[in-house]
Amino acid sequence: MADIIVPELAESITEGTIAQWLKQPGDTVEKGEFIVELETDKVNVEVISEEAGVVSELLAAEGDTVLVGQVIAVVGASSGSTASAPAAQAEAKEEVKAPEAPKAAPVVQETATEQDRTIASPAARKLAREKGINLSDISPVDPMGRVRVQDVSAHGSAPTPAKAAPAPAASAPKEDDGRTTREKMSRRRQTIASRLLEVRQSTAMLTTFNEIDMTNVMALRSRKKDQFFEQNDVRLGFMSFFTKAVVAALKKYPYVNAQIDGTDIVKNNFYDIGIAVSTEGGLVVPIVRDADRKNFAEIEANIGELAKKARDNKLALSDMSGGSFTITNGGVFGSLLSTPILNGTQVGILGMHTIQKRPIAVGNEVEIRPMMYVALSYDHRVIDGKDSVGFLKTVKELLENPEDLLLNS
């Protein structure tokens, strides 16, 4: 017998959520094979079995919160009777607790064929046994056909033909009438929500705006992109320009690259720039380490690698820990203007937006130029208006004169 235990995840992570069981009771598992996927507030982690054998029991259901060090499953030696062990153990426990015969619920036994055909979570199977419900009679909400606890509860609470259910009030529509859909927030979404709320409540956050004429940087990129790709095997995008401009501005305004620790201001002498990436599970911010020491090609390659890992849900905790400043690009979704929220303990975040052609006064003439609004949200407890405006103005000037940016990098 071997216990499957929630492993140490990271110093700041003490719990996770069962995202998906990769093995079910009765399944054979090899040593080192993945058995469960855990979702934390930062990354998903797959846990392996330390022993070969057969899964005899799952002690937590999908969606349950589990703590580091908690036993969540048991792997036993291979046996023909292993698959029925959980049910037998459950029946034995019920006999000890309540030796007298039950008063009502009819006993419904599933045939082996029904058990094979019905996909259900361990908690759903247990609840169905307790309520005397045949899993094959339940219509799950899950489009993949997996029966969950809420499906069993809804089936068990449905009104019987002999006793009509009272009509619901018009002002309180029921979820099962199709007008609303309820879903549990993922652990990552819960963490994002709580941290954003905490930032709003614990910082003196303000936002200042400017606009950048992207004519010169777009022209430079257009001239150099083919040569850049041939030499570096990576495409030249806008993010490397913005990252380099941000690093140069941070060096000029070091308080924007700081954080608060109690009553101290800690100025960072490194430039680990977070690049916000949107994934199906929510926003993540992997870090481009030592961006001041990387050239354009290295930054583009690093960003591309991190973005791919984010989309494939392969980011490690080390990819996202730390960071001294963050860049977020709402322009990829068409956002014209926004006020980004600070990331964790950082005191500054730069928001990029979509490039839009607009009439602009150039000298005494009006010209159509590709313009981008940029926003700097900052913690006013650390950064004064002079530094915030100066920082954003420096970013603007460098991007409008990209040759200067190349020299400064």
Side-chain angles (χ1 to χ4, degrees):
M1 300 285 286
D3 293 337
I4 304 300
I5 299 174
V6 178
E8 292 285 345
L9 301 170
E11 184 178 351
S12 61
I13 298 178
T14 59
E15 62 182 20
T17 299
I18 302 291
Q20 180 183 9
W21 281 108
L22 306 176
K23 295 289 183 179
Q24 295 295 323
D27 289 350
T28 301
V29 60
E30 300 295 332
K31 183 177 181 179
E33 187 176 4
F34 294 125
I35 189 171
V36 64
E37 182 182 359
L38 294 177
E39 182 184 54
T40 73
D41 56 3
K42 293 183 177 180
V43 294
N44 283 23
V45 179
E46 291 177 321
V47 180
I48 64 172
S49 175
E50 298 291 345
E51 299 291 340
V54 174
V55 179
S56 60
E57 189 175 8
L58 303 182
L59 302 177
E62 291 181 358
D64 286 356
T65 297
V66 292
L67 302 176
V68 170
Q70 179 178 335
V71 179
I72 55 176
V74 178
V75 173
S78 178
S79 171
S81 60
T82 306
S84 60
Q89 292 173 3
E91 291 172 3
K93 291 178 182 178
E94 290 175 0
E95 289 177 4
V96 172
K97 293 181 179 178
E100 68 276 5
K103 294 181 180 180
V107 178
V108 179
Q109 294 184 343
E110 292 179 70
T111 65
T113 304
E114 289 171 333
Q115 288 181 2
D116 293 339
R117 184 171 62 247
T118 305
I119 304 173
S121 69
R125 289 186 181 277
K126 181 176 182 296
L127 183 60
R129 284 200 306 271
E130 293 173 350
K131 290 180 173 289
I133 299 173
N134 194 322
L135 287 172
S136 61
D137 293 336
I138 298 175
S139 299
V141 176
D142 188 342
M144 300 300 292
R146 185 178 181 85
V147 177
R148 300 181 182 275
V149 172
Q150 52 266 41
D151 300 320
V152 179
S153 299
H155 183 88
S157 61
T160 62
K163 191 174 182 179
S171 59
K174 295 175 63 177
E175 290 184 29
D176 58 5
D177 66 2
R179 296 181 64 185
T180 61
T181 301
R182 183 185 297 271
E183 66 179 55
K184 184 177 177 62
M185 292 175 71
S186 67
R187 171 162 292 278
R188 189 171 303 162
R189 178 57 59 186
Q190 292 178 48
T191 302
I192 290 171
S194 63
R195 287 184 175 174
L196 292 180
L197 184 60
E198 181 182 356
V199 167
R200 296 284 294 188
Q201 294 174 340
S202 63
T203 64
M205 195 180 79
L206 293 177
T207 305
T208 186
F209 304 94
N210 213 318
E211 60 180 353
I212 298 174
D213 184 345
M214 298 291 289
T215 300
N216 292 334
V217 71
M218 290 176 71
L220 177 60
R221 177 174 175 267
S222 180
R223 291 196 310 270
K224 298 293 185 179
K225 63 180 181 180
D226 292 338
Q227 179 184 351
F228 187 88
F229 183 77
E230 290 176 2
Q231 292 177 346
N232 303 291
D233 197 28
V234 64
R235 299 191 183 281
L236 178 62
F238 291 123
M239 288 306 301
S240 54
F241 285 95
F242 274 85
T243 301
K244 279 298 187 181
V246 160
V247 168
L250 290 174
K251 289 181 177 180
K252 187 175 181 180
Y253 297 95
Y255 283 103
V256 186
N257 198 41
Q259 62 190 64
I260 290 180
D261 183 14
T263 57
D264 295 333
I265 296 176
V266 180
K267 289 189 288 186
N268 297 312
N269 299 319
F270 58 90
Y271 303 90
D272 290 353
I273 308 301
I275 306 294
V277 178
S278 179
T279 69
E280 290 185 2
L283 194 70
V284 293
V285 187
I287 310 297
V288 176
R289 306 285 178 189
D290 296 319
D292 58 317
R293 302 179 185 178
K294 289 183 168 71
N295 59 32
F296 278 70
E298 290 170 330
I299 290 175
E300 290 290 355
N302 202 173
I303 291 175
E305 177 188 359
L306 292 170
K308 185 178 186 304
K309 291 173 70 174
R311 289 192 295 269
D312 295 341
N313 202 25
K314 298 298 183 182
L315 284 172
L317 292 171
S318 58
D319 292 324
M320 295 183 289
S321 59
S324 60
F325 187 87
T326 296
I327 302 174
T328 181
N329 185 6
V332 296
F333 305 110
S335 173
L336 183 62
L337 189 63
S338 67
T339 56
I341 297 180
L342 294 172
N343 180 24
T345 60
Q346 297 173 17
V347 297
I349 181 172
L350 179 73
M352 299 167 55
H353 300 91
T354 192
I355 300 173
Q356 186 181 65
K357 289 185 177 181
R358 297 197 301 272
I360 299 295
V362 180
N364 293 324
E365 304 293 330
V366 175
E367 298 183 10
I368 304 298
R369 294 289 183 96
M371 306 297 295
M372 176 193 287
Y373 288 119
V374 286
L376 174 71
S377 291
Y378 61 97
D379 192 338
H380 206 353
R381 296 177 301 167
V382 179
I383 304 169
D384 292 330
K386 178 182 177 182
D387 278 4
S388 64
V389 172
F391 174 91
L392 202 55
K393 187 167 179 280
T394 298
V395 172
K396 167 186 169 68
E397 291 171 348
L398 287 170
L399 288 166
E400 290 184 342
N401 298 278
E403 288 81 4
D404 294 342
L405 183 60
L406 291 172
L407 292 174
N408 289 336
S409 64

